[in-house]
Amino acid sequence: VGEDRGSLRGAMREWWLHVGLICVPLLAVYLHVPPPRLSPALHGWHSAGGSFAFRGSSVFYRESFGAVGSSDVVILLHGFPTSSYDWNKIWEPLNQRFNRVVALDFLGFGFSDKPHRYSIFEQASVVEALVAHLGLSDHRVNILSHDYGDTVALELLYRSDQKRSGHLTINSLCLSNGGIFPETHYPRLLQKVLKDSSFLSPLLTRLINFPLFSRGSVSEPPLATRPEVGWVGGAWRLCGVKTGRGTDCADGCQDREVF
């Protein structure tokens, strides 16, 4: 009986060795599925923008001057996990309405640097720093935000109401498609895991590749409003620009809950 058990253990070890030899290269291939290249449109978007330094990190932004005779300024805050390029299709219409249109890539997104940790509160400070950098601190600004940007916008609104040092003077605020009410916000299972598990969060971030990202991006919206395939590819490619492979929202999810 002892010899049989020993043989069984040896066979199991050999089986697991074979499984490992097969799985390791498959996992390596999975993790290195090449992302799509930046499209000419994204290259053009980047070329038309600039950057400024925030606490040692480079933050990408884009601005343009539009309506003559108007002094209105609008600041655009994008969603997760994309970038300022979200606004490209309405950029020209906004230029016809506002004198100055400004958009940025939050830290950890798009063409901005991707430090190890970033938070909603820090992103709000990034927006304030950009406004000061552009010489707009004394202007009344309009804010148009989406998704993740909504929470940043609410933090900016709170700082403005409390008259914190460096706060924005907000003329108007438009929030779109953001989970800002806890009783009506239903995060996905993956979002809950990213928020609650300090161990699994970085691991899952590494395991997400373009096919999974693409499936998640186009499956939820109604058919008429689903993003174009090219847009999804560009969004994924931007997740890996600069120092990071992807964008980890764990800290941002925690900050939403605190807020």
Side-chain angles (χ1 to χ4, degrees), residues 6-259:
S7 298
L8 180 61
R9 292 194 190 99
M12 289 297 294
R13 282 196 296 268
E14 185 175 353
W15 183 83
W16 280 112
L17 177 62
H18 287 137
V19 170
L21 291 174
I22 294 173
C23 290
V24 168
L26 288 177
L27 181 61
V29 172
Y30 173 84
L31 291 175
H32 292 86
V33 174
R37 294 185 177 182
L38 287 181
S39 66
L42 279 172
H43 275 295
W45 186 264
H46 182 252
S47 299
S51 64
F52 77 102
F54 176 83
R55 299 176 184 173
S57 296
S58 176
V59 177
F60 173 82
Y61 69 92
R62 182 173 176 180
E63 66 169 332
S64 63
F65 293 86
V68 178
S70 171
S71 60
D72 289 347
V73 177
V74 63
I75 299 174
L76 311 175
L77 307 180
H78 67 81
F80 177 88
T82 51
S83 69
S84 57
Y85 189 67
D86 281 359
W87 308 104
N88 78 97
K89 288 191 174 182
I90 62 171
W91 193 263
E92 288 307 318
L94 288 172
N95 268 311
Q96 296 172 18
R97 165 63 180 83
F98 295 94
N99 173 257
R100 201 166 180 179
V101 182
V102 180
L104 78 157
D105 290 351
F106 290 125
L107 279 177
F109 297 78
F111 292 108
S112 292
D113 282 350
K114 297 175 172 62
H116 178 69
R117 184 190 186 280
Y118 42 92
S119 71
I120 293 291
F121 309 110
E122 186 176 35
Q123 304 289 23
S125 297
V126 169
V127 178
E128 290 175 339
L130 174 60
V131 169
H133 174 75
L134 296 176
L136 297 172
S137 298
D138 295 330
H139 285 66
R140 296 180 65 84
V141 299
N142 303 279
I143 298 177
L144 173 58
S145 62
H146 170 69
D147 186 55
Y148 180 88
D150 286 357
T151 313
V152 178
L154 289 176
E155 171 63 17
L156 290 168
L157 182 63
Y158 173 78
R159 294 182 184 187
S160 178
D161 184 63
Q162 297 296 311
K163 300 189 184 304
R164 297 277 186 89
S165 176
H167 71 83
L168 305 187
T169 303
I170 299 175
N171 182 55
S172 69
L173 172 60
C174 179
L175 309 174
S176 65
N177 195 34
I180 58 177
F181 300 107
E183 65 274 14
T184 60
H185 178 54
Y186 303 99
R188 292 183 173 185
L189 176 61
L190 179 60
Q191 291 175 314
K192 292 180 179 178
V193 173
L194 288 172
K195 177 177 73 70
D196 297 330
S197 175
S198 59
F199 169 73
L200 288 178
S201 178
L203 178 63
L204 290 174
T205 301
R206 288 290 303 172
L207 289 176
I208 294 174
N209 65 0
F210 176 64
L212 289 177
F213 177 87
S214 178
R215 183 181 302 176
S217 298
V218 302
S219 62
E220 184 175 346
L223 184 61
T225 58
R226 288 181 186 176
E228 301 168 356
V229 175
W231 179 91
V232 176
W236 169 251
R237 181 64 183 85
L238 286 176
C239 284
V241 169
K242 290 291 186 77
T243 58
R245 166 186 163 81
T247 301
D248 183 1
C249 73
D251 296 322
C253 289
Q254 293 283 7
D255 289 345
R256 278 191 174 190
E257 194 166 79
V258 170
F259 186 85

